[in-house]
Amino acid sequence: MTHLLSIEDLSVLIRRPGRDVAALSGVDLHVDAGEVVGLVGESGGGKSMVARAIVALLPGGARTRGAVRFEGADVLAMDEAALATHRGHGAALCFQNPRGALSPTRTVGRQLTDRLTTHQRMDKAAARETARQLFEAVGIRNPARRLDAYPHELSGGMAQRVMISLATGCAPGLLIADEPTTGLDVTLTREILRQFRHAADTDGRGVLLISHDLASIASVCDRVVVLYAGTVVESGPVAKVLREPAHPYTRALLASVPDVSGRPARAIGGAMPLLPSPPAACPFAPRCAHATERCTAQRPPLTGDGWAYACFHPQTGGGAAAPGAPPPPPRGGAGRGGVGGVGADALPRPGGAPACPPPPPGAAPAAPVTAPPPQRTAAGRVVMEIEDAHVVYGSRFGSGGHHALRGVSLEIRAGETVGVVGESGCGKSTLARLMLGLTAPSSGTVRLDGIDLHAQRGRKLRRLRTRARLVFQDPVGSLSPRRTVADAIGEPLRALGVPAAERAERVAQVLARMNLDPAMLRRHPHELSGGQAQRVGIARALVGDPDLIVFDEPTSALDVTVQAQILDVIAELAGDASRGSVFISHDLATVRGFCDRVVVLYLGRIVEQGPVEEVFGNPRHPYTRALLSSAPSLDGGYTGARVELAKDLEEADAATGCPLAARCPFATDECRAEPQHLTPYGAAEAACWRVPQIPALIREGAHTRA
Amino acid sequence: MAEVRVEAGARSFSRVLILTGAAILVVVALAALAAPLLSSWGPEEIDANATLAGPGGAHLLGTDTNGMDVWSRLLYAARLDLGVAVSAVALAVVVGTALGLLAGYLGGWLDDVLMRIVDIFQAFPTFILALAVAALLGNGTVNLVITIAAVNAPAYARLVRAEVRSIRELPFVDASITSGASTVGVLWRHVLPNSLTPVRVIAPLNCGWAMLTLAGLSFLGLGVTVPGAEWGAMISLGSPDVVAGRWWTSVPPGLALLVCVLGFSLLGEGLQERADARRRS
C-alpha cells in the first residue's frame, strides 16, 4: 500500500563551521489521506526539521540521506518547477506564528485570493467567493467582512484560522501544522485543532500536526510519532502510545504534563542532547531510569508493526495517566490532592467521530470532588490586598482606552497560593502588574504588607517593591542581555543596600537552592537554556526574601519536561508559610497542581473564586465550566457536564450586563441587561444569577440533544 | 552550504574593513604624535628665503606662500583635525545619548520638548547650521569642538531615544524596577548598555563627517585660521597657487583628509557589517 506521504530512513546532518548537528537520524514515518498524525517531542528533537524536509525547505548546510516520498515522488530529488507545484498543491505548511506569516500591508482576503488566482487560475469574482467559503469553513464569522480585514485587526485565533484557510486554499493533499496552537489559550486551542480534524474528515486530507503538547493534540490525532534527539522513539495509534506508552521517553513526556483532573506533573532530570553525529546508542539512555549497559552500547531499532518503539526495555501497563500508575512522589506544600485517572472514557475521540463530544446524557450536575478539600487554613497575615481595583490603559490620542480590570478585589495571605486563570485578554497579566506596582490602578487601592503601594514615592517605594517579586513568562527576555547572572540575581539586594560581600554570599546560596552550578554566575543570559534562565528568574525573586511572589505563566515558554522541573521548584516554594504566592496561568491543570485557591478572571472581572478543589470539582459559573471542558487531558480530565462557549472572546462584550452573555449557552435577556456580582455558592463564589438553575439547564440540554 | 559560506564570508569581510580602517587611523595618529621627529621645521616656522619652494631639498613637500613647511604643517594639522573630530563626536555622543535616554525613558512633556528642539536642529542642513553656530561662538579650538558636537548631538538623541523606547518595554526593565532599582539605576545598568549598539556603529562614521565639517569651516575662514595648522585652512591658503601649477600647497592636505575620512568610513562600515551579521545569525 502506498502512503500519501512516506518518509523513509531520513537523516539530516546540518554542517556549521566548527559544529555539526545531526538534526534527524533515520526517521521513518508515514501519513495517509484522511488521517491526522501527531508529531511530538521537545524542541530540538527534530519536529520542525521533518516539516521542512517535506516541503524541501532545509536550512543552508543541510546534508540529507533517505527519501521523502509524496504520492510516490521523492521530494528531495525534485527540481524547482516540481517543487513549486508540490509546495502549496501537494503539501502546505501552517506556521506557528500566523501574524508573522501574514503580510501586514494587504488584507487577508487579498492574500487568499491572490493564491487562488495564480495557482488555481480563477477569475477575481470566483476567487473571492471561494475565499469567502474557505473562511466560513474554518469558522470565521462574517467571512465577507473579514476578507477586507488587515492582519493586525484580527485576534490570534482568527489569524490562525486565516492561516489554515490560506494553507487549504490550493487544496493540498497534505496539511502540515507546525505548533499551530502554541501561545493560544485552551478554548482557542481546542477550536483550532478541531479545524484540522475537520480537514481530514470532510476533505480527506492528510494532516501532520506538530506539537510539544501531547495532551492537547491527543483528542484529534489518529496516530502519534514521538521524536527524541532526531530519532523516532515510538509511533503508533494514539490509544496505544498515549494510554500504555512503551518507551520510557514517551512515559516521561506524558508524566511531565500535569492533568486538570488533579494529577501533578512528575519531572525527569536532564535535557535533550544536540547530537553532533547520528547516535550509536539509545539517545535517551543518560536520562532513563531503565537504562542498562546494552542501551549505552547499541542503538535500539524501531520494531513493531503499527505500534513500534525503539527500546530494549519497553514498559508495559498504563502510562502516567492510567490508574495503575505509581503514586506521584509527595512534594512540599499542602493543599494539593486528587487521584489520577478518573474515567475510562479518556481520549474522547474514537475513530472519525467529531472531536468534541456532546455533554454526556444525564451527567451529574455536581461532579464528585476527586479529593477532600484542602485542610490548610489560610490564617497567615494578609500580604496583598486589592480593593475594587480598576485599570484603564488610556490611549494616547483622544479619549477611550482599554479597560483591563473592572473592579477586582482580592486578598492573599502568607502561606497560601492563589491561582489566577482565564483566557488571553482577561486581565491576568494586568493583575500581576498591579500587584507589583508596575501599573497604577485608575481607582481602588493595592496594599502590600498593609501599605498602599501606589501612594509611595522614592526610596520608600523602591524598598516596598522588593517585598513583592515577579517571575516572568519569558525567562531569557526578563534578564538584561548585557548583565551577568550574578548581577541579575543580586539586583534586589543592591536596592536594599546590602554590601557586596554579603550580596555575593546570598546570591550563591539561592543559586545552590535552585540547583544551579556556581560557574553560571559569570554567564550572560544568551548562554543559558530556557530552564536555566527561569531558575535564575526564580532565584532573583527569592533572594530578597519577599512576602509575595507572583508567577506570571512561568512555564508556558518552556519544553514540557523542563516545565515539570520548574513546576517542581515552584511547588516547593509555594509550600513556604512565610509568604504568599500567586500563580497565573491559562493552563488549568498546573494551577490545580499546587494552588489553594483559584480566581477565575473574565474580561477584567472575577467571575468565580474559591478553594481549588471546590472550583475544579464543582464549578458553578458557566465560564469556569467551559474552561474546564476545554482543558486538554489525557486522563479523562474534567468529568462534569461540558459547556461550550460560542464565538471567541471579544472585548466589547464587557460593556453592559454579564460580560459572558454573548458567548454563554444559558444567557437570557436578564443576563444581557444586569451586571453580575459575586454571590456565595457553597465554599465558592460565582458571579452568575443562574447558578442554581444551571444543573437543570444542562440536563435539559442533554435531553434535547439526545 | 551556500548560506554558511556567505555568513563566514561576511564575518571575514567585516574584519578586513575594520582592520584596514583602524590601521589607517593608527598610522595617521602615530605620525601626528611623532611630528617633531619626522620634521625639522615647526608648523608655524617661516623660512623667509623660500616661499612657494617646490618639494625636495630642505622642504620635503615644499613651502607655501608664507614660506611655511608643508610637510611639517601636514603632520601637526593631523593632531588638530583628529583631536577635534574625535572629541567633538565623543561630546556629541555623551550629550545626545543622555538626552535621548531621558526623553525615551521618561517620555511625556520632557520627550516632547527635547524632540521638538532636535527637530529644529535637524531642519537645517548640517553644514549651514555649523556655519551659524561657528559664527556665533567665534574662533578657537574649544569652540570648534562645541560647534561640531552641537550639530551632531541631535542625531544621537534621536537614535538613542528610538532604541530606549523599545527597550523600556522589555521584561528585563520591569524586572529591574520590581527589584527596587531607582530610575537612574535602571537607566545606567540596564537601558543604557543595551541601547548603545547603533551608536557604536554610527560614531566612527560620524568622526569622518566631523573632520570634513571642521575642514570646511576652516576653508571658509570660520574655523582654524592661518597661521594655525589645519588641513582645510591649508587647502584654502593654497587654492590660488594650485591654479598656477603649484600643487604642493593644497593637494597634500586634501589627500590627508581623504585618507582619514576613508579610514573612519571603513571602520564604521566594518562595524555595521559585523552588527548585521550578528543580527542575522
Side-chain angles (χ1 to χ4, degrees), chain B residues 9 22 37 48 82 85 91 103 132 135 159 175 221 225 261:
Chain B
L37 303 176
L82 275 180
L91 183 63
L159 193 69
T225 46
V261 173

Side-chain angles (χ1 to χ4, degrees), chain A residues 47-65:
Chain A
K47 304 189 299 290
S48 295
M49 205 55 74
V50 170
R52 286 171 156 271
I54 297 171
V55 289
L57 266 180
L58 290 166
R63 299 263 171 92
T64 58
R65 220 191 53 227

Side-chain angles (χ1 to χ4, degrees), chain A residues 137-266:
Chain A
V138 293
I140 295 177
R141 265 156 247 270
N142 270 326
R145 194 164 60 89
R146 292 286 186 204
L147 282 174
D148 297 319
Y150 286 92
H152 72 267
E153 297 174 290
L154 302 175
S155 64
M158 207 56 90
Q160 189 57 269
R161 288 193 175 107
V162 170
M163 199 64 227
I164 297 171
S165 71
L166 278 172
T168 50
C170 295
L174 177 72
L175 205 53
I176 309 158
D178 192 356
E179 304 263 5
T181 58
T182 302
L184 300 182
D185 53 45
V186 282
T187 48
L188 275 173
T189 295
R190 203 173 148 83
E191 186 50 43
I192 295 295
L193 290 177
R194 201 179 292 174
Q195 296 302 333
F196 288 109
R197 185 72 242 173
H198 181 79
D201 289 343
T202 58
D203 306 328
R205 302 187 207 289
V207 176
L208 185 66
L209 204 53
I210 296 174
S211 178
H212 65 272
D213 186 355
L214 271 169
S216 69
I217 66 163
S219 60
V220 295
C221 290
D222 297 300
R223 289 188 300 114
V224 286
V225 177
V226 184
L227 277 184
Y228 183 79
T231 64
V232 175
V233 295
E234 185 159 1
S235 77
V238 81
K240 287 287 179 198
V241 177
L242 298 187
R243 295 302 295 169
E244 34 186 319
H247 197 284
Y249 178 64
T250 317
R251 297 174 83 88
L253 206 55
L254 289 167
S256 301
V257 189
D259 196 87
V260 70
S261 66
R263 176 182 54 77
R266 230 176 328 140

Side-chain angles (χ1 to χ4, degrees), chain B residues 44-164:
Chain B
E44 294 172 22
E45 196 177 331
I46 293 170
D47 184 355
N49 301 325
T51 51
L52 284 173
H59 301 282
L60 188 62
L61 282 178
T63 57
D64 61 16
T65 28
N66 299 327
M68 296 195 264
D69 182 71
V70 174
W71 171 240
S72 167
R73 285 173 68 75
L74 197 66
L75 292 175
Y76 283 96
R79 292 182 171 184
L80 186 86
D81 280 76
L82 275 180
V84 169
V86 170
S87 46
V89 169
L91 183 63
V93 166
V94 170
V95 173
T97 302
L99 293 180
L101 209 55
L102 290 175
Y105 190 74
L106 299 177
W109 64 267
L110 183 75
D111 184 27
D112 288 337
V113 170
L114 285 175
M115 284 305 116
R116 289 307 78 75
I117 294 173
V118 166
D119 282 344
I120 293 170
F121 268 76
Q122 295 197 316
F124 294 99
T126 315
F127 195 73
I128 306 287
L129 189 67
L131 277 179
V133 179
L136 197 74
L137 292 176
N139 285 342
T141 317
V142 175
N143 283 346
L144 277 172
V145 171
I146 295 174
T147 302
I148 296 169
V151 298
N152 285 302
Y156 290 103
R158 175 148 291 173
L159 193 69
V160 170
R161 173 185 175 268
E163 281 291 304
V164 169

Side-chain angles (χ1 to χ4, degrees), chain A residues 349-676:
Chain A
R349 205 205 64 77
C356 161
V369 177
T370 50
Q375 294 302 307
R376 187 156 92 200
T377 46
R381 72 207 153 83
V382 176
V383 291
M384 168 58 58
E385 194 182 5
I386 302 175
E387 243 175 80
D388 193 32
H390 288 253
V391 173
V392 182
Y393 291 116
S395 85
R396 186 170 171 163
F397 304 103
S399 60
H402 169 52
H403 211 142
L405 287 183
R406 298 167 181 263
V408 169
S409 298
L410 189 62
E411 227 181 55
I412 292 143
R413 291 173 181 275
E416 76 171 342
T417 305
V418 177
V420 177
V421 296
E423 289 167 287
S424 312
C426 282
K428 301 191 300 290
S429 291
T430 304
L431 186 63
R433 295 180 64 83
L434 189 71
M435 288 193 272
L436 269 296
L438 287 169
T439 296
S442 317
S443 69
T445 53
V446 180
R447 273 192 284 274
L448 175 60
D449 290 335
I451 306 166
D452 187 345
L453 189 55
H454 297 279
Q456 306 301 311
R457 291 283 173 272
R459 183 174 292 271
K460 258 187 164 167
L461 172 65
R462 299 211 304 272
R463 283 187 165 265
L464 185 61
R465 270 186 170 150
T466 62
R467 310 306 311 146
R469 304 309 323 275
L470 181 62
V471 175
F472 291 79
Q473 179 172 6
D474 173 4
V476 179
S478 69
L479 298 172
S480 179
R482 294 189 183 272
R483 292 274 156 205
T484 61
V485 167
D487 259 357
I489 300 178
E491 189 158 32
L493 299 179
R494 176 190 289 269
L496 289 170
V498 175
E502 191 193 335
R503 214 156 65 204
E505 195 177 306
R506 284 175 69 177
V507 168
Q509 274 173 9
V510 78
L511 201 72
R513 191 165 168 197
M514 288 295 116
N515 285 324
L516 290 173
D517 185 354
M520 206 159 275
L521 286 173
R522 285 187 303 277
R523 300 231 188 119
H524 284 88
H526 68 265
E527 297 169 286
L528 305 179
S529 71
Q532 286 169 340
Q534 196 57 294
R535 280 170 199 263
V536 169
I538 296 171
R540 174 173 60 184
L542 211 55
V543 74
D545 224 350
D547 294 315
L548 175 72
I549 300 185
V550 179
F551 299 93
D552 187 2
E553 310 231 11
T555 59
S556 63
L558 303 173
D559 265 319
V560 279
T561 61
V562 181
Q563 270 185 24
Q565 292 164 8
I566 296 294
L567 285 175
D568 259 358
V569 172
I570 296 175
E572 195 210 313
L573 300 180
D576 195 323
S578 67
R579 75 179 152 266
S581 309
V582 175
F583 191 91
I584 294 174
S585 180
H586 66 256
D587 180 4
L588 283 81
T590 51
V591 169
R592 184 166 198 177
F594 50 80
C595 289
D596 305 306
R597 277 199 298 135
V598 188
V599 170
V600 183
L601 272 184
Y602 185 68
L603 288 176
R605 292 190 180 93
I606 295 178
V607 294
E608 181 160 357
Q609 62 177 349
V612 70
E613 291 308 329
E614 185 73 11
V615 173
F616 280 72
N618 183 10
R620 261 75 173 205
H621 199 280
Y623 183 63
T624 316
R625 289 173 186 266
L627 281 184
L628 286 168
S629 307
S630 313
S633 174
L634 295 165
D635 299 3
Y638 173 63
T639 48
R642 287 176 186 275
V643 169
E644 295 281 327
L645 295 179
K647 305 204 303 179
D648 295 344
L649 176 144
E650 268 180 51
E651 215 206 297
D653 293 345
T656 52
C658 173
L660 192 65
R663 302 173 71 193
C664 179
F666 314 116
T668 64
D669 284 341
E670 192 177 343
C671 297
R672 283 174 206 110
E674 293 296 316
Q676 301 294 314

Side-chain angles (χ1 to χ4, degrees), chain B residues 181-226:
Chain B
S182 62
T183 303
V184 175
V186 175
L187 282 172
W188 181 252
R189 298 172 50 76
H190 300 285
V191 179
L192 180 66
N194 288 303
S195 59
L196 286 182
T197 313
V199 172
R200 264 187 275 266
V201 172
I202 300 291
L205 285 173
N206 204 194
C207 283
W209 304 334
M211 202 169 243
L212 288 175
T213 310
L214 172 64
L217 287 173
S218 301
F219 185 87
L220 296 176
L222 283 163
V224 177
T225 46
V226 180

